[in-house]
Amino acid sequence: TCHPKERAVFKAHVVAPMEPVSGRECDVHEGQALAFFCTQCGVMVCAHCLLMGTHIEHPRVSLHTAVTDRKAQLIAAMETLESKHAVVHDFTQRADAAMQTLSESCAQVRAEVETECMDMQLLVKGLQHRLLEVVDRHEREKRATVMCQLEGQRQRLSVWGAMIDRAKQVMQNEDGAVYLDVDTHKLDKQLRGAADASLAPPKLANVALGLTLTISQLKESVGNMHFTEYLVPPAPSEVVCVECTMSSLLLSWTCDTRE
């Protein structure tokens, strides 16, 4: 109840019982339950605080209403953040899969280079080394790009996950007034701030290697071996790398045309 029955002025008042949301008592008025929330001061108060204390004429709502409103805000913010959390989680899963695809593609290209170059090691050992350097550089650059995107989103997952876990702990607390504590108020602001933040995960970087290696008839000729469009003529006596870029390998050679 909000009125002390022992006061004559309240004898004619009709008192409606309300389901208590907290067993806390007023620190100022001993024995008085905290049954209201002062919206001006943002604190829980008892009936005496409103009638004869420092919160006279302050706007107020019942503690039950305040708890219900705050709980609804917390739930809405948490649900919004959970949906965004799911989006980022999906992105990180796809990024991890892309990293695996990149590793497998690079491993396949390396295997092709290693296997096909065995029979011409004496002639094109230097070329083999340069081809592998091209693959390694592509992998390092693409891996660095994806890792940069992935780490940023993982940090976001960690922060949001911790906020969601804290919100769930608050909701599991049987003391309804915990929703009005200072820490919960801070958590509520953090949740709503995160939930209102724009979610724009970066576009996942293309991890396609972009290199194609074809080798045939190694013992007789290297004419069909190439990365992209730069072809090596058959049976070179000396191969020199003139230029090596992200997507191409430019070679210079001399050929012995004598029979």
Side-chain angles (χ1 to χ4, degrees), residues 219-244:
K219 294 181 180 180
E220 294 79 18
S221 174
V222 292
N224 293 327
M225 190 184 83
H226 65 85
F227 272 133
T228 64
E229 63 185 15
Y230 294 97
L231 303 180
V232 181
S237 58
E238 182 179 2
V239 180
V240 178
C241 180
V242 177
E243 181 181 354
C244 184

Side-chain angles (χ1 to χ4, degrees), residues 154-213:
R154 279 178 172 164
Q155 291 178 5
R156 178 179 285 185
L157 279 180
S158 177
V159 173
W160 287 1
M163 292 168 61
I164 291 172
D165 290 342
R166 175 57 184 147
K168 289 180 178 179
Q169 292 176 2
V170 171
M171 295 179 63
Q172 291 172 359
N173 195 321
E174 296 180 358
D175 182 4
V178 71
Y179 290 96
L180 304 177
D181 287 342
V182 175
D183 290 342
T184 306
H185 178 65
K186 292 180 179 179
L187 175 62
D188 178 49
K189 292 179 63 178
Q190 293 171 347
L191 278 170
R192 284 185 283 127
D196 293 338
S198 62
L199 175 62
K203 183 179 180 181
L204 186 60
N206 181 16
V207 296
L209 200 58
L211 300 175
T212 303
L213 179 66

Side-chain angles (χ1 to χ4, degrees), residues 2-15 48 51-52:
C2 66
H3 297 317
K5 293 183 178 179
E6 65 274 10
R7 295 180 177 272
V9 69
F10 300 121
K11 286 183 177 181
H13 286 199
V14 177
V15 178
H48 284 193
L51 294 173
M52 60 192 72

Side-chain angles (χ1 to χ4, degrees), residues 37-53:
F37 183 73
C38 177
T39 58
Q40 177 175 322
C41 301
V43 296
M44 293 178 287
V45 295
C46 70
H48 284 193
C49 292
L50 298 176
L51 294 173
M52 60 192 72

Side-chain angles (χ1 to χ4, degrees), residues 51-125:
L51 294 173
M52 60 192 72
T54 58
H55 299 274
I56 296 176
E57 296 183 356
H58 284 192
R60 83 292 303 268
V61 295
S62 70
L63 194 62
H64 182 273
T65 299
V67 169
T68 301
D69 292 346
R70 186 64 58 82
K71 183 177 180 179
Q73 292 175 1
L74 191 66
I75 291 174
M78 184 188 70
E79 289 177 348
T80 301
L81 188 57
E82 280 182 331
S83 65
K84 293 186 175 184
H85 183 276
V87 172
V88 176
H89 179 66
D90 175 70
F91 172 84
T92 58
Q93 286 187 320
R94 290 187 292 110
D96 286 333
M99 296 288 285
Q100 180 63 29
T101 300
L102 174 62
S103 297
E104 292 174 356
S105 299
C106 292
Q108 181 179 358
V109 174
R110 287 194 186 93
E112 292 178 2
V113 172
E114 293 286 354
T115 301
E116 299 297 336
C117 286
M118 280 185 179
D119 294 335
M120 58 177 196
Q121 288 181 355
L122 295 178
L123 180 63
V124 291
K125 189 66 176 178

